[in-house]
Amino acid sequence: MKNLKKAIFAISAILTFSFAQKTFAAEFSEAENTLISEIFDFRLTLRSYATADECIEKIISYRESINEKINSFSEEAQIVCTNMLATAQYNCEYEKDMHSPKMEPILRPQYERLTKYSEGKTAETLNPWFVLTSADITNSMMQFLPRSASITVGLQEKKDYALVVKNNPQMPFALTLSGWWYYYAPAVGGGSNSKAGEFFKKAQKYAVSSYDKYYCNINLAQFYFEQKDTQKCGIYMEEAEKVLPGTRYIELLKKMNKIGYSLFDYNMNSRREKIDKKLLKQ
């Protein structure tokens, strides 16, 4: 499968949030749902810091501050919260160095824990946040797993995303991850740029929280950049900047767009180094 992995920053990315979902409201307690919301808010604040190293320090400090609260939750909610924080820290390491030896130690404990917990369970019985945040971890772990696993994992994720979207049709996080899946999957495996665009548009339409609005507008802007529609790209980039002005992330995207590359390009290991070299010459 064509480099099916999560986005460096966002995706994470690709990770958007909304509490309008009824499917899982009764499954997690109010305290668990509240902390999930707070973690998304925290993740957005990371964009305001000047360096990836500073972000990593904030993540470690924040996790320590909420560790006791996380440990009081159900195991499934614990994994969701720690998935989100591990993904954030991984993204920062990836931003610094796509070959960082620190990345696998961040991901593997989470991957092993979520794998063990989900044994004998399906997307129908697991909380949607567990399904989606675990997929984020798994996609990032693919580079450290046997290559043969990518096809099996990719096809299962497609089914899981479809189920979550079916039950939660206005959930930006699920819509965003579905969009990324369709964008990166090869056509022979079911990939489709047009379907990716449909999901990105729906995610942006239903975005409610600041986190959702920031990342959904960025994803849609970069999709339009790929479609050579610079006007719409500019419009949605401006919408993202209204949520959180002056971030180095958006400045990086603008620089990439200026030399002809998008966020989608940058999230592919095969193109990352080439883009970085061109950015250094600017």
Side-chain angles (χ1 to χ4, degrees):
M1 182 163 292
K2 185 180 69 178
N3 208 351
L4 182 59
K5 66 184 299 295
K6 72 173 215 26
I8 304 170
F9 307 113
I11 315 305
S12 311
I14 309 93
L15 310 176
T16 50
F17 180 78
S18 171
F19 273 119
Q21 285 47 263
K22 296 181 179 179
T23 304
F24 58 87
E27 296 178 14
F28 278 175
S29 69
E30 181 178 353
E32 290 167 339
N33 280 328
T34 297
L35 186 59
I36 291 172
S37 176
E38 290 175 358
I39 293 174
F40 274 107
D41 290 341
F42 166 74
R43 284 167 59 100
L44 181 59
T45 67
L46 295 174
R47 290 297 177 205
S48 65
Y49 297 113
T51 66
D53 282 325
E54 189 175 2
C55 289
I56 291 172
E57 290 178 5
K58 297 294 182 181
I59 293 166
I60 293 172
S61 176
Y62 179 69
R63 175 162 181 169
E64 290 176 350
S65 73
I66 63 172
N67 197 50
E68 185 175 346
K69 184 180 291 186
I70 291 176
N71 289 337
S72 70
F73 292 165
S74 64
E75 184 176 5
E76 190 169 7
Q78 287 182 36
I79 295 173
V80 169
C81 293
T82 51
N83 277 350
M84 294 165 67
L85 295 171
T87 301
Q89 188 171 348
Y90 163 83
N91 286 341
C92 293
E93 287 293 342
Y94 186 85
E95 176 187 350
K96 289 167 54 182
D97 177 7
M98 62 182 285
H99 301 298
S100 171
K102 297 180 180 180
M103 295 190 300
E104 184 175 0
I106 292 171
L107 296 172
R108 188 166 288 280
Q110 281 301 120
Y111 177 74
E112 292 178 351
R113 186 180 184 189
L114 70 87
T115 300
K116 182 178 180 180
Y117 180 81
S118 59
E119 286 180 0
K121 303 180 180 71
T122 67
E124 294 180 345
T125 59
L126 292 165
N127 184 286
W129 286 123
F130 180 93
V131 174
L132 300 172
T133 62
S134 293
D136 248 1
I137 293 290
T138 301
N139 287 337
S140 299
M141 267 295 295
M142 291 307 301
Q143 61 193 299
F144 308 115
L145 299 175
R147 184 172 297 180
S148 59
S150 63
I151 295 177
T152 300
V153 170
L155 292 176
Q156 186 59 52
E157 283 184 355
K158 180 183 180 182
K159 296 177 182 178
D160 292 347
Y161 293 160
L163 179 64
V164 174
V165 169
K166 178 182 178 181
N167 293 331
N168 306 271
Q170 297 181 16
M171 187 179 190
F173 188 22
L175 293 166
T176 295
L177 291 184
S178 296
W180 283 94
W181 191 96
Y182 276 103
Y183 183 87
Y184 282 115
V188 68
S192 166
N193 282 2
S194 62
K195 286 187 178 180
E198 291 174 10
F199 280 110
F200 291 139
K201 291 172 187 176
K202 287 181 181 179
Q204 191 274 341
K205 175 182 178 181
Y206 295 122
V208 175
S209 71
S210 294
Y211 185 97
D212 288 344
K213 291 178 180 178
Y214 184 75
Y215 286 108
C216 289
N217 276 303
I218 285 174
N219 289 334
L220 190 53
Q222 294 303 293
F223 174 77
Y224 279 121
F225 178 84
E226 289 277 331
Q227 300 299 306
K228 312 298 182 184
D229 192 333
T230 55
Q231 181 180 9
K232 287 185 178 179
C233 173
I235 290 173
Y236 289 107
M237 289 294 282
E238 287 180 7
E239 288 300 311
E241 286 193 280
K242 290 178 183 178
V243 178
L244 195 63
T247 64
R248 61 190 172 86
Y249 182 39
I250 288 183
E251 289 306 308
L252 173 64
L253 292 176
K254 288 181 177 179
K255 289 179 180 179
M256 283 195 291
N257 291 166
K258 188 176 180 180
I259 59 175
Y261 295 97
S262 71
L263 171 63
F264 303 100
D265 294 315
Y266 201 71
N267 290 340
M268 298 175 68
N269 286 351
S270 60
R271 299 180 185 177
R272 165 80 182 269
E273 290 183 285
K274 180 179 180 180
I275 297 172
D276 280 339
K277 289 179 181 178
K278 290 190 174 183
L279 288 172
L280 287 174
K281 294 180 181 179
Q282 280 193 300

